[in-house]
Amino acid sequence: MNVPVLRTELRRSTAPWAGAVVLTGALAFLYLIDGSWRHGSTAWTAQWTSLALWLRGLLFYLWPITVGLGALQGLRDHRSRMPELLSSIPRPAWQRAAAPAGASALALTCAFALLVLVGGVQVVAHTDYTHLGWVPISLVGALSLVAGAVLGMGVGRALPSVLTPPVLGMAAFALTVLMNASPGRTETTGPDGFPTSEPNRVSLLSPAVEEVRNAFVTLSGSVHLGQTLWLLGLTATGFALLIATAPRTRLFAVTPALAGAVLALLVLPADPQRMYVADEGAVAPVCDGPVCVARLHRERLAEVAGPGKEALRLLHRALGEDAPAAVRENTSVQLSGTTPPRSRKTVLFGFDEDLFSGTKGKDLTRALVAQGMAPECTPVGWSGFGGDQFAQAAALDWVLGRPVTFPGTGSEGLRHDIDAEARPVWRKLRALPRDEQLSRIEAMRAAAFSCEGDPFDALKGGAGR
């Protein structure tokens, strides 16, 4: 296939339209709809891995559209009533099929590359952490679009009906839904007793990936390899259907897809902890004395160092030898519903947590003190409001020796409710003898660090739940 042939195909095929739909549809979704992809350290323009993963997440909607448009392209010869004429031409069938397939592949690859470019320009402005771990994620995403288009073209040519494109597009959407829903996940019970689910190998056959909830998460190498094998199988099946003429040949054309699925399932990891893994370069600590952040956020170390050291000083003054000695950004990669890590010797925090989101200066110092006194036990991926926050607010007032506005939570109304619950308890606590105060503080901390019992109830002198 030479350049003039490719240029002709780009003019007379649906390939440019498919590329335009992918590009404009993705940009409209990212810029016109307000969602988690636009906020915090996991925003699609915040860092390279998040960019690649959010674009892969959009394939949940874009891939079925690409498959349907590919099927529409596959009907071209049938609509023109040319199959018999083309079959009489001595030119090999694979050469005739390579032209429209190549045009679609080029258009879709360019569209996806432009998406990466638009996001990448903004990523460069937001972070100085550069790496190449995002490249295979993006390459597999582009391959997903190509595989979907070629598969659609092959099915459209094998089943030349006006109903084929919409039916095939809906079937592709249903397949992605099933892969990312209960048939593609393993049901478990979270630490709070509520049902949750974890990805399994079937879910990894979907072109889309999970929503980005942690800036340190990336896909493992075995996931890239397994998905590539599966997508190459789909591409080969689509191309085989494009050149097949006999029913038996079309039946054998599904072999590459089946072989790709088998090989992918053999390669893809069974353990969810080996599917979405930590980016070792991103989680490497960058420290200023006892205060450390991840390398991914090293430009924010200066804003954390001062408040972190002050928080450690206040905690040591209040707790003595039992006080934590360091402040660390929490870089653990945990599944949704699991219990967050806690440490008596280290104050663990996350920039996207409600308590720390948008806090700076004195508010950040107060947030770190509250976290060091009684870390929350809300499962990963969940939002909580209640006893944990009340206990943190009362403990913060106790450490500072005066009532202060509780930091974080993102809402003035919530902060008012927290202060209203915590201050009466702080006043009663302050009126007790010093030994009784320390006893209740220790009971509160024991409940908070063990995630057993109610820290606020313990602070009030109760037995917890």
Side-chain angles (χ1 to χ4, degrees):
M1 182 176 60
N2 52 36
V3 175
V5 173
L6 180 61
R7 189 184 300 119
T8 301
E9 282 294 334
L10 288 173
R11 286 201 305 267
R12 64 195 291 263
S13 70
T14 62
W17 292 103
V21 167
V22 168
L23 180 60
T24 58
L27 291 178
F29 188 94
L30 291 168
Y31 282 109
L32 300 181
I33 300 177
D34 190 18
S36 55
W37 51 88
R38 295 179 60 179
H39 303 285
S41 63
T42 59
W44 78 288
T45 57
Q47 57 103 4
W48 290 103
T49 302
S50 293
L51 165 66
L53 289 175
W54 278 121
L55 293 183
R56 284 284 301 276
L58 290 179
L59 296 182
F60 188 91
Y61 309 101
L62 297 178
W63 191 73
I65 295 174
T66 303
V67 173
L69 291 174
L72 184 62
Q73 171 67 19
L75 296 178
R76 184 180 64 179
D77 292 346
H78 177 75
R79 294 197 307 268
S80 304
R81 300 179 181 178
M82 296 178 58
E84 293 184 4
L85 175 62
L86 292 174
S87 63
S88 64
I89 298 176
R91 186 183 179 190
W94 70 267
Q95 290 185 4
R96 296 197 306 269
S104 294
L106 178 61
L108 291 169
T109 301
C110 289
F112 198 80
L114 284 173
L115 284 174
V116 175
L117 179 62
V118 170
V121 170
Q122 298 173 80
V123 169
V124 170
H126 291 151
T127 182
D128 58 0
Y129 174 61
T130 57
H131 61 103
L132 297 178
W134 60 274
V135 174
I137 303 175
S138 300
L139 290 177
V140 173
L143 179 58
S144 299
L145 293 174
V146 173
V150 175
L151 179 65
M153 293 169 64
V155 175
R157 183 175 176 82
L159 302 173
S161 168
V162 68
L163 297 177
T164 299
V167 171
L168 188 61
M170 290 301 298
F173 180 72
L175 182 64
T176 57
V177 170
L178 289 174
M179 287 179 178
N180 289 276
S182 55
R185 303 182 69 84
T186 302
E187 297 294 329
T188 59
T189 301
D192 52 4
F194 289 96
T196 184
S197 63
E198 300 173 355
N200 61 28
R201 282 178 287 191
V202 176
S203 68
L204 295 178
L205 295 180
S206 169
V209 297
E210 289 193 329
E211 180 180 342
V212 185
R213 295 189 176 92
N214 190 315
F216 308 108
V217 168
T218 188
L219 292 171
S220 65
S222 56
V223 171
H224 298 320
L225 178 58
Q227 291 178 336
T228 300
L229 292 172
W230 161 239
L231 294 170
L232 289 176
L234 287 182
T235 306
T237 288
F239 195 78
L241 289 172
L242 266 179
I243 64 178
T245 55
R248 179 177 296 181
T249 308
R250 289 169 180 165
L251 184 61
F252 282 112
V254 302
T255 302
L258 294 177
V262 171
L263 290 175
L265 292 174
L266 291 175
V267 171
L268 292 171
D271 183 3
Q273 299 285 0
R274 294 175 53 224
M275 298 176 186
Y276 293 86
V277 298
D279 181 345
E280 296 300 331
V283 302
V286 179
C287 302
D288 182 349
V291 180
C292 298
V293 299
R295 184 184 175 194
L296 178 66
H297 297 136
R298 59 187 175 188
E299 72 278 0
R300 304 187 67 174
L301 177 60
E303 72 180 63
V304 180
K309 293 174 183 178
E310 176 63 12
L312 292 177
R313 186 188 69 80
L314 292 172
L315 288 168
H316 186 268
R317 185 184 68 182
L319 300 175
E321 296 300 322
D322 293 332
V327 173
R328 298 283 189 276
E329 182 179 3
N330 179 18
T331 58
S332 62
V333 175
Q334 294 181 285
L335 297 175
S336 179
T338 55
T339 305
R342 298 164 309 284
S343 171
R344 283 181 173 268
K345 296 301 181 183
T346 304
V347 181
L348 298 174
F349 75 99
F351 287 109
D352 290 335
E353 295 177 13
D354 290 342
L355 184 59
F356 300 98
S357 180
T359 58
K360 295 181 179 181
K362 291 183 178 179
D363 280 344
L364 180 54
T365 298
R366 294 170 181 175
L368 291 170
V369 169
Q371 182 78 346
M373 291 295 293
E376 291 185 40
C377 290
T378 305
V380 176
W382 295 63
S383 295
F385 177 77
D388 287 351
Q389 289 75 28
F390 301 155
Q392 286 182 331
L396 173 63
D397 293 345
W398 181 79
V399 170
L400 297 180
R402 67 184 189 279
V404 295
T405 301
F406 191 68
T409 72
S411 167
E412 289 291 340
L414 290 179
R415 285 196 289 270
H416 176 76
D417 292 342
I418 292 173
D419 291 339
E421 288 285 341
R423 285 180 182 174
V425 175
W426 165 71
R427 293 189 183 97
K428 292 180 180 179
L429 180 66
R430 184 181 61 170
L432 296 173
R434 178 67 178 176
D435 290 345
E436 179 63 20
Q437 293 183 34
L438 293 175
S439 176
R440 292 194 181 187
I441 288 292
E442 177 53 35
M444 176 202 68
R445 285 168 57 79
F449 282 102
S450 66
C451 281
E452 296 178 359
D454 187 337
F456 192 52
D457 188 41
L459 192 62
K460 291 186 291 184
R465 63 175 184 269

